[in-house]
Amino acid sequence: QRGRAELEASAKESKEITDVRMPESMPPITTTEIVPITTKEIKEEYLGQKAMATWHEIQAKAALQAEEKAKGSPEQKALHNEYLRHRFLSLLNFYLDILDNHENRSSKGLELILANEFLLDFNGLKMSSKKEFDGWFYGRAAAAPVCSHRYEEFKITPLDVTAGTYELKFHLVWNGILKATGMQMVGKTFHTWTVLEGDPKREKAKIQNILVKSVVDFKAV
């Protein structure tokens, strides 16, 4: 495990890690204009979320191993940033899989990625317990159980490297189908997360806070 001085030096050298490279199946969507995806894509999008979560987790472990071997070399910083990028993208895709998996709709697994104390603020709706999240998930969110989320402009900013806390900022573009009418809806939100890196050899990264603000209000297409 790296020492305090080394961690602080790494934080000063790299205040922000930016990733605008997206998997081919999830291209970035720019501006506030939303191009709706097809119903078939909405229904099948979740199939890639769990796969991407696993892929990023594997890549994070590989980057961490490479960083340990490159300790003290010029490549160490880039490898550490690569590790963090994959670690937190794995967290994001794991979370999105819970939201988008309409074939087996369940909030089970969320406890693996929530800190012991957390606060979720979904555009003013605040939740600080799994019970409150379930009330939203099986209530309001169930109005459009078939949905998909695509992220863009993913950025990581270290908050306290010695404590392993980071800030994630990104947009989510949402496509969904209303259960009652079959109408397709779209929307876009901006997310600010505070996350805990944790021990990659024993656990997943954890969500401490989520702040969601509407960018494009949900509307029919």
Side-chain angles (χ1 to χ4, degrees), residues 48-54 56-57 87-101 106-114 193 204-205 207:
Q49 301 288 12
K50 183 172 290 186
M52 289 305 298
T54 301
H56 281 298
E57 184 176 1
R87 178 127 173 100
F88 295 137
L89 283 174
S90 177
L91 172 67
L92 175 56
N93 279 280
F94 188 92
Y95 173 78
L96 295 181
D97 175 62
I98 293 174
L99 297 188
D100 294 352
N101 189 344
S106 172
S107 65
K108 185 179 180 180
L110 188 70
E111 63 277 3
L112 298 175
I113 59 171
L114 288 177
W193 290 18
K204 297 183 181 297
I207 299 170

mmCIF file of all heavy atoms in Angstrom, residues 48-54 56-57 87-101 106-114 193 204-205 207:
data_model
loop_
_atom_site.group_PDB
_atom_site.id
_atom_site.type_symbol
_atom_site.label_atom_id
_atom_site.label_comp_id
_atom_site.label_asym_id
_atom_site.label_seq_id
_atom_site.Cartn_x
_atom_site.Cartn_y
_atom_site.Cartn_z
ATOM 1 N N GLY A 48 -25.726 -4.848 -21.638
ATOM 2 C CA GLY A 48 -24.325 -4.447 -21.670
ATOM 3 C C GLY A 48 -23.818 -3.858 -20.373
ATOM 4 O O GLY A 48 -22.605 -3.801 -20.141
ATOM 5 N N GLN A 49 -24.723 -3.429 -19.478
ATOM 6 C CA GLN A 49 -24.293 -2.753 -18.256
ATOM 7 C C GLN A 49 -23.485 -3.678 -17.349
ATOM 8 O O GLN A 49 -22.403 -3.319 -16.875
ATOM 9 C CB GLN A 49 -25.505 -2.195 -17.496
ATOM 10 C CG GLN A 49 -26.352 -1.200 -18.268
ATOM 11 C CD GLN A 49 -25.667 0.155 -18.457
ATOM 12 O OE1 GLN A 49 -24.481 0.313 -18.213
ATOM 13 N NE2 GLN A 49 -26.438 1.126 -18.915
ATOM 14 N N LYS A 50 -24.024 -4.877 -17.092
ATOM 15 C CA LYS A 50 -23.321 -5.802 -16.209
ATOM 16 C C LYS A 50 -22.006 -6.254 -16.837
ATOM 17 O O LYS A 50 -20.980 -6.370 -16.142
ATOM 18 C CB LYS A 50 -24.200 -7.011 -15.904
ATOM 19 C CG LYS A 50 -23.577 -7.993 -14.925
ATOM 20 C CD LYS A 50 -24.562 -9.069 -14.513
ATOM 21 C CE LYS A 50 -25.644 -8.502 -13.634
ATOM 22 N NZ LYS A 50 -26.549 -9.551 -13.097
ATOM 23 N N ALA A 51 -22.021 -6.473 -18.148
ATOM 24 C CA ALA A 51 -20.794 -6.877 -18.837
ATOM 25 C C ALA A 51 -19.735 -5.792 -18.740
ATOM 26 O O ALA A 51 -18.548 -6.073 -18.516
ATOM 27 C CB ALA A 51 -21.098 -7.195 -20.303
ATOM 28 N N MET A 52 -20.160 -4.532 -18.895
ATOM 29 C CA MET A 52 -19.213 -3.421 -18.806
ATOM 30 C C MET A 52 -18.697 -3.260 -17.380
ATOM 31 O O MET A 52 -17.530 -2.915 -17.162
ATOM 32 C CB MET A 52 -19.868 -2.132 -19.282
ATOM 33 C CG MET A 52 -20.118 -2.060 -20.779
ATOM 34 S SD MET A 52 -18.621 -2.326 -21.773
ATOM 35 C CE MET A 52 -17.610 -0.949 -21.255
ATOM 36 N N ALA A 53 -19.565 -3.487 -16.382
ATOM 37 C CA ALA A 53 -19.126 -3.402 -14.986
ATOM 38 C C ALA A 53 -18.024 -4.423 -14.714
ATOM 39 O O ALA A 53 -17.005 -4.107 -14.079
ATOM 40 C CB ALA A 53 -20.308 -3.632 -14.045
ATOM 41 N N THR A 54 -18.229 -5.641 -15.221
ATOM 42 C CA THR A 54 -17.235 -6.701 -15.031
ATOM 43 C C THR A 54 -15.960 -6.395 -15.803
ATOM 44 O O THR A 54 -14.850 -6.564 -15.282
ATOM 45 C CB THR A 54 -17.806 -8.053 -15.495
ATOM 46 O OG1 THR A 54 -18.984 -8.341 -14.734
ATOM 47 C CG2 THR A 54 -16.786 -9.165 -15.308
ATOM 48 N N HIS A 56 -14.736 -3.440 -16.746
ATOM 49 C CA HIS A 56 -13.988 -2.355 -16.099
ATOM 50 C C HIS A 56 -13.320 -2.830 -14.812
ATOM 51 O O HIS A 56 -12.216 -2.388 -14.479
ATOM 52 C CB HIS A 56 -14.914 -1.171 -15.811
ATOM 53 C CG HIS A 56 -15.195 -0.315 -16.999
ATOM 54 N ND1 HIS A 56 -14.204 0.370 -17.685
ATOM 55 C CD2 HIS A 56 -16.357 -0.014 -17.629
ATOM 56 C CE1 HIS A 56 -14.744 1.050 -18.680
ATOM 57 N NE2 HIS A 56 -16.029 0.829 -18.674
ATOM 58 N N GLU A 57 -13.976 -3.739 -14.101
ATOM 59 C CA GLU A 57 -13.381 -4.275 -12.875
ATOM 60 C C GLU A 57 -12.111 -5.059 -13.192
ATOM 61 O O GLU A 57 -11.095 -4.931 -12.493
ATOM 62 C CB GLU A 57 -14.395 -5.173 -12.156
ATOM 63 C CG GLU A 57 -13.906 -5.698 -10.817
ATOM 64 C CD GLU A 57 -14.964 -6.497 -10.084
ATOM 65 O OE1 GLU A 57 -16.072 -6.670 -10.623
ATOM 66 O OE2 GLU A 57 -14.672 -6.973 -8.965
ATOM 67 N N ARG A 87 -12.001 1.619 -12.178
ATOM 68 C CA ARG A 87 -12.655 1.275 -10.891
ATOM 69 C C ARG A 87 -13.992 1.986 -10.751
ATOM 70 O O ARG A 87 -14.995 1.377 -10.369
ATOM 71 C CB ARG A 87 -11.743 1.643 -9.728
ATOM 72 C CG ARG A 87 -12.368 1.360 -8.342
ATOM 73 C CD ARG A 87 -11.475 0.528 -7.521
ATOM 74 N NE ARG A 87 -11.931 0.354 -6.146
ATOM 75 C CZ ARG A 87 -12.560 -0.731 -5.695
ATOM 76 N NH1 ARG A 87 -12.824 -1.742 -6.510
ATOM 77 N NH2 ARG A 87 -12.903 -0.845 -4.428
ATOM 78 N N PHE A 88 -14.004 3.275 -11.097
ATOM 79 C CA PHE A 88 -15.231 4.040 -10.903
ATOM 80 C C PHE A 88 -16.231 3.857 -12.044
ATOM 81 O O PHE A 88 -17.442 3.984 -11.845
ATOM 82 C CB PHE A 88 -14.893 5.514 -10.681
ATOM 83 C CG PHE A 88 -14.123 5.754 -9.407
ATOM 84 C CD1 PHE A 88 -13.035 6.622 -9.379
ATOM 85 C CD2 PHE A 88 -14.461 5.090 -8.247
ATOM 86 C CE1 PHE A 88 -12.318 6.834 -8.213
ATOM 87 C CE2 PHE A 88 -13.746 5.282 -7.060
ATOM 88 C CZ PHE A 88 -12.673 6.159 -7.051
ATOM 89 N N LEU A 89 -15.751 3.530 -13.237
ATOM 90 C CA LEU A 89 -16.685 3.189 -14.317
ATOM 91 C C LEU A 89 -17.351 1.835 -14.052
ATOM 92 O O LEU A 89 -18.506 1.628 -14.413
ATOM 93 C CB LEU A 89 -15.971 3.176 -15.667
ATOM 94 C CG LEU A 89 -15.684 4.556 -16.269
ATOM 95 C CD1 LEU A 89 -14.849 4.427 -17.543
ATOM 96 C CD2 LEU A 89 -16.975 5.311 -16.564
ATOM 97 N N SER A 90 -16.625 0.936 -13.396
ATOM 98 C CA SER A 90 -17.228 -0.332 -12.992
ATOM 99 C C SER A 90 -18.349 -0.071 -11.994
ATOM 100 O O SER A 90 -19.437 -0.656 -12.075
ATOM 101 C CB SER A 90 -16.173 -1.242 -12.365
ATOM 102 O OG SER A 90 -16.764 -2.449 -11.898
ATOM 103 N N LEU A 91 -18.095 0.829 -11.048
ATOM 104 C CA LEU A 91 -19.113 1.219 -10.067
ATOM 105 C C LEU A 91 -20.340 1.799 -10.761
ATOM 106 O O LEU A 91 -21.484 1.416 -10.460
ATOM 107 C CB LEU A 91 -18.530 2.247 -9.097
ATOM 108 C CG LEU A 91 -19.505 2.917 -8.128
ATOM 109 C CD1 LEU A 91 -20.050 1.898 -7.127
ATOM 110 C CD2 LEU A 91 -18.828 4.079 -7.404
ATOM 111 N N LEU A 92 -20.125 2.707 -11.698
ATOM 112 C CA LEU A 92 -21.231 3.350 -12.413
ATOM 113 C C LEU A 92 -22.052 2.328 -13.197
ATOM 114 O O LEU A 92 -23.288 2.335 -13.140
ATOM 115 C CB LEU A 92 -20.696 4.441 -13.345
ATOM 116 C CG LEU A 92 -21.720 5.130 -14.253
ATOM 117 C CD1 LEU A 92 -22.864 5.733 -13.452
ATOM 118 C CD2 LEU A 92 -21.031 6.200 -15.110
ATOM 119 N N ASN A 93 -21.379 1.446 -13.934
ATOM 120 C CA ASN A 93 -22.106 0.453 -14.724
ATOM 121 C C ASN A 93 -22.838 -0.548 -13.845
ATOM 122 O O ASN A 93 -23.925 -1.009 -14.197
ATOM 123 C CB ASN A 93 -21.151 -0.267 -15.680
ATOM 124 C CG ASN A 93 -20.872 0.525 -16.935
ATOM 125 O OD1 ASN A 93 -21.663 0.535 -17.870
ATOM 126 N ND2 ASN A 93 -19.753 1.220 -16.963
ATOM 127 N N PHE A 94 -22.285 -0.874 -12.695
ATOM 128 C CA PHE A 94 -22.965 -1.759 -11.750
ATOM 129 C C PHE A 94 -24.260 -1.102 -11.271
ATOM 130 O O PHE A 94 -25.318 -1.743 -11.204
ATOM 131 C CB PHE A 94 -22.053 -2.063 -10.559
ATOM 132 C CG PHE A 94 -22.574 -3.118 -9.619
ATOM 133 C CD1 PHE A 94 -22.229 -4.452 -9.781
ATOM 134 C CD2 PHE A 94 -23.414 -2.768 -8.560
ATOM 135 C CE1 PHE A 94 -22.718 -5.428 -8.911
ATOM 136 C CE2 PHE A 94 -23.909 -3.740 -7.690
ATOM 137 C CZ PHE A 94 -23.555 -5.062 -7.862
ATOM 138 N N TYR A 95 -24.185 0.176 -10.963
ATOM 139 C CA TYR A 95 -25.358 0.940 -10.529
ATOM 140 C C TYR A 95 -26.404 1.021 -11.642
ATOM 141 O O TYR A 95 -27.595 0.813 -11.409
ATOM 142 C CB TYR A 95 -24.897 2.335 -10.111
ATOM 143 C CG TYR A 95 -25.999 3.314 -9.798
ATOM 144 C CD1 TYR A 95 -26.683 3.273 -8.586
ATOM 145 C CD2 TYR A 95 -26.346 4.308 -10.712
ATOM 146 C CE1 TYR A 95 -27.689 4.192 -8.301
ATOM 147 C CE2 TYR A 95 -27.350 5.225 -10.429
ATOM 148 C CZ TYR A 95 -28.013 5.160 -9.223
ATOM 149 O OH TYR A 95 -29.012 6.073 -8.945
ATOM 150 N N LEU A 96 -25.953 1.299 -12.862
ATOM 151 C CA LEU A 96 -26.883 1.406 -13.987
ATOM 152 C C LEU A 96 -27.532 0.069 -14.319
ATOM 153 O O LEU A 96 -28.676 0.026 -14.784
ATOM 154 C CB LEU A 96 -26.168 1.973 -15.218
ATOM 155 C CG LEU A 96 -25.669 3.414 -15.090
ATOM 156 C CD1 LEU A 96 -25.006 3.863 -16.387
ATOM 157 C CD2 LEU A 96 -26.800 4.368 -14.712
ATOM 158 N N ASP A 97 -26.823 -1.016 -14.087
ATOM 159 C CA ASP A 97 -27.407 -2.333 -14.317
ATOM 160 C C ASP A 97 -28.608 -2.552 -13.396
ATOM 161 O O ASP A 97 -29.629 -3.120 -13.804
ATOM 162 C CB ASP A 97 -26.369 -3.429 -14.083
ATOM 163 C CG ASP A 97 -26.965 -4.823 -14.194
ATOM 164 O OD1 ASP A 97 -27.457 -5.177 -15.278
ATOM 165 O OD2 ASP A 97 -26.961 -5.555 -13.187
ATOM 166 N N ILE A 98 -28.512 -2.079 -12.146
ATOM 167 C CA ILE A 98 -29.634 -2.187 -11.216
ATOM 168 C C ILE A 98 -30.817 -1.370 -11.721
ATOM 169 O O ILE A 98 -31.968 -1.826 -11.699
ATOM 170 C CB ILE A 98 -29.211 -1.722 -9.806
ATOM 171 C CG1 ILE A 98 -28.190 -2.697 -9.214
ATOM 172 C CG2 ILE A 98 -30.427 -1.588 -8.883
ATOM 173 C CD1 ILE A 98 -27.607 -2.253 -7.885
ATOM 174 N N LEU A 99 -30.555 -0.169 -12.218
ATOM 175 C CA LEU A 99 -31.631 0.696 -12.692
ATOM 176 C C LEU A 99 -32.276 0.187 -13.975
ATOM 177 O O LEU A 99 -33.497 0.328 -14.158
ATOM 178 C CB LEU A 99 -31.100 2.111 -12.938
ATOM 179 C CG LEU A 99 -30.560 2.900 -11.746
ATOM 180 C CD1 LEU A 99 -30.263 4.335 -12.173
ATOM 181 C CD2 LEU A 99 -31.532 2.887 -10.571
ATOM 182 N N ASP A 100 -31.485 -0.403 -14.867
ATOM 183 C CA ASP A 100 -31.960 -0.716 -16.222
ATOM 184 C C ASP A 100 -32.388 -2.162 -16.443
ATOM 185 O O ASP A 100 -33.003 -2.468 -17.469
ATOM 186 C CB ASP A 100 -30.863 -0.384 -17.254
ATOM 187 C CG ASP A 100 -30.581 1.107 -17.331
ATOM 188 O OD1 ASP A 100 -31.323 1.880 -16.710
ATOM 189 O OD2 ASP A 100 -29.616 1.486 -18.027
ATOM 190 N N ASN A 101 -32.091 -3.056 -15.513
ATOM 191 C CA ASN A 101 -32.371 -4.475 -15.732
ATOM 192 C C ASN A 101 -33.858 -4.771 -15.527
ATOM 193 O O ASN A 101 -34.294 -5.161 -14.441
ATOM 194 C CB ASN A 101 -31.522 -5.329 -14.794
ATOM 195 C CG ASN A 101 -31.598 -6.805 -15.127
ATOM 196 O OD1 ASN A 101 -32.489 -7.246 -15.856
ATOM 197 N ND2 ASN A 101 -30.667 -7.580 -14.601
ATOM 198 N N SER A 106 -34.796 -5.565 -9.666
ATOM 199 C CA SER A 106 -34.553 -5.726 -8.234
ATOM 200 C C SER A 106 -33.451 -4.759 -7.797
ATOM 201 O O SER A 106 -32.502 -4.510 -8.544
ATOM 202 C CB SER A 106 -34.125 -7.168 -7.931
ATOM 203 O OG SER A 106 -33.702 -7.292 -6.589
ATOM 204 N N SER A 107 -33.601 -4.228 -6.593
ATOM 205 C CA SER A 107 -32.557 -3.358 -6.047
ATOM 206 C C SER A 107 -31.498 -4.157 -5.295
ATOM 207 O O SER A 107 -30.575 -3.576 -4.710
ATOM 208 C CB SER A 107 -33.177 -2.311 -5.111
ATOM 209 O OG SER A 107 -33.745 -2.942 -3.974
ATOM 210 N N LYS A 108 -31.637 -5.484 -5.314
ATOM 211 C CA LYS A 108 -30.654 -6.332 -4.649
ATOM 212 C C LYS A 108 -29.278 -6.099 -5.256
ATOM 213 O O LYS A 108 -29.117 -6.058 -6.474
ATOM 214 C CB LYS A 108 -31.041 -7.802 -4.796
ATOM 215 C CG LYS A 108 -30.138 -8.757 -4.029
ATOM 216 C CD LYS A 108 -30.595 -10.193 -4.186
ATOM 217 C CE LYS A 108 -29.682 -11.144 -3.421
ATOM 218 N NZ LYS A 108 -30.114 -12.562 -3.572
ATOM 219 N N GLY A 109 -28.295 -5.952 -4.431
ATOM 220 C CA GLY A 109 -26.938 -5.670 -4.894
ATOM 221 C C GLY A 109 -26.541 -4.236 -4.626
ATOM 222 O O GLY A 109 -25.345 -3.907 -4.587
ATOM 223 N N LEU A 110 -27.529 -3.361 -4.437
ATOM 224 C CA LEU A 110 -27.212 -1.954 -4.175
ATOM 225 C C LEU A 110 -26.404 -1.803 -2.892
ATOM 226 O O LEU A 110 -25.537 -0.925 -2.791
ATOM 227 C CB LEU A 110 -28.504 -1.135 -4.081
ATOM 228 C CG LEU A 110 -28.322 0.384 -4.011
ATOM 229 C CD1 LEU A 110 -27.831 0.931 -5.347
ATOM 230 C CD2 LEU A 110 -29.618 1.079 -3.599
ATOM 231 N N GLU A 111 -26.679 -2.687 -1.918
ATOM 232 C CA GLU A 111 -25.956 -2.601 -0.643
ATOM 233 C C GLU A 111 -24.453 -2.813 -0.818
ATOM 234 O O GLU A 111 -23.661 -2.386 0.029
ATOM 235 C CB GLU A 111 -26.514 -3.610 0.356
ATOM 236 C CG GLU A 111 -26.355 -5.064 -0.034
ATOM 237 C CD GLU A 111 -27.430 -5.583 -0.983
ATOM 238 O OE1 GLU A 111 -28.306 -4.791 -1.404
ATOM 239 O OE2 GLU A 111 -27.383 -6.782 -1.317
ATOM 240 N N LEU A 112 -24.057 -3.445 -1.925
ATOM 241 C CA LEU A 112 -22.630 -3.684 -2.175
ATOM 242 C C LEU A 112 -21.891 -2.416 -2.575
ATOM 243 O O LEU A 112 -20.659 -2.356 -2.480
ATOM 244 C CB LEU A 112 -22.453 -4.732 -3.282
ATOM 245 C CG LEU A 112 -23.014 -6.130 -2.999
ATOM 246 C CD1 LEU A 112 -22.863 -7.000 -4.234
ATOM 247 C CD2 LEU A 112 -22.320 -6.754 -1.798
ATOM 248 N N ILE A 113 -22.633 -1.396 -3.031
ATOM 249 C CA ILE A 113 -21.988 -0.186 -3.539
ATOM 250 C C ILE A 113 -22.405 1.071 -2.788
ATOM 251 O O ILE A 113 -22.071 2.175 -3.209
ATOM 252 C CB ILE A 113 -22.245 0.000 -5.050
ATOM 253 C CG1 ILE A 113 -23.747 0.084 -5.349
ATOM 254 C CG2 ILE A 113 -21.572 -1.130 -5.850
ATOM 255 C CD1 ILE A 113 -24.057 0.489 -6.778
ATOM 256 N N LEU A 114 -23.096 0.913 -1.659
ATOM 257 C CA LEU A 114 -23.454 2.064 -0.838
ATOM 258 C C LEU A 114 -22.579 2.108 0.409
ATOM 259 O O LEU A 114 -22.333 1.074 1.047
ATOM 260 C CB LEU A 114 -24.921 2.001 -0.417
ATOM 261 C CG LEU A 114 -25.972 2.272 -1.494
ATOM 262 C CD1 LEU A 114 -27.365 2.084 -0.911
ATOM 263 C CD2 LEU A 114 -25.819 3.679 -2.073
ATOM 264 N N TRP A 193 -21.210 12.782 -7.844
ATOM 265 C CA TRP A 193 -21.098 11.705 -6.850
ATOM 266 C C TRP A 193 -19.859 11.913 -5.984
ATOM 267 O O TRP A 193 -18.813 12.363 -6.465
ATOM 268 C CB TRP A 193 -20.937 10.347 -7.523
ATOM 269 C CG TRP A 193 -22.129 9.812 -8.246
ATOM 270 C CD1 TRP A 193 -23.223 10.500 -8.670
ATOM 271 C CD2 TRP A 193 -22.329 8.453 -8.649
ATOM 272 N NE1 TRP A 193 -24.100 9.672 -9.314
ATOM 273 C CE2 TRP A 193 -23.578 8.408 -9.318
ATOM 274 C CE3 TRP A 193 -21.590 7.288 -8.516
ATOM 275 C CZ2 TRP A 193 -24.089 7.216 -9.844
ATOM 276 C CZ3 TRP A 193 -22.091 6.115 -9.050
ATOM 277 C CH2 TRP A 193 -23.335 6.071 -9.699
ATOM 278 N N LYS A 204 -16.102 -3.588 -3.720
ATOM 279 C CA LYS A 204 -16.371 -2.607 -4.764
ATOM 280 C C LYS A 204 -16.227 -1.203 -4.180
ATOM 281 O O LYS A 204 -16.305 -1.014 -2.967
ATOM 282 C CB LYS A 204 -17.784 -2.801 -5.322
ATOM 283 C CG LYS A 204 -18.001 -4.141 -6.009
ATOM 284 C CD LYS A 204 -19.398 -4.225 -6.593
ATOM 285 C CE LYS A 204 -19.617 -5.584 -7.253
ATOM 286 N NZ LYS A 204 -18.699 -5.802 -8.386
ATOM 287 N N ALA A 205 -16.011 -0.230 -5.051
ATOM 288 C CA ALA A 205 -16.036 1.155 -4.607
ATOM 289 C C ALA A 205 -17.433 1.475 -4.082
ATOM 290 O O ALA A 205 -18.420 0.823 -4.452
ATOM 291 C CB ALA A 205 -15.670 2.081 -5.764
ATOM 292 N N ILE A 207 -20.594 4.313 -2.937
ATOM 293 C CA ILE A 207 -21.219 5.615 -3.147
ATOM 294 C C ILE A 207 -21.540 6.236 -1.795
ATOM 295 O O ILE A 207 -22.235 5.633 -0.978
ATOM 296 C CB ILE A 207 -22.517 5.479 -3.970
ATOM 297 C CG1 ILE A 207 -22.220 4.900 -5.350
ATOM 298 C CG2 ILE A 207 -23.222 6.827 -4.084
ATOM 299 C CD1 ILE A 207 -23.486 4.512 -6.122
#
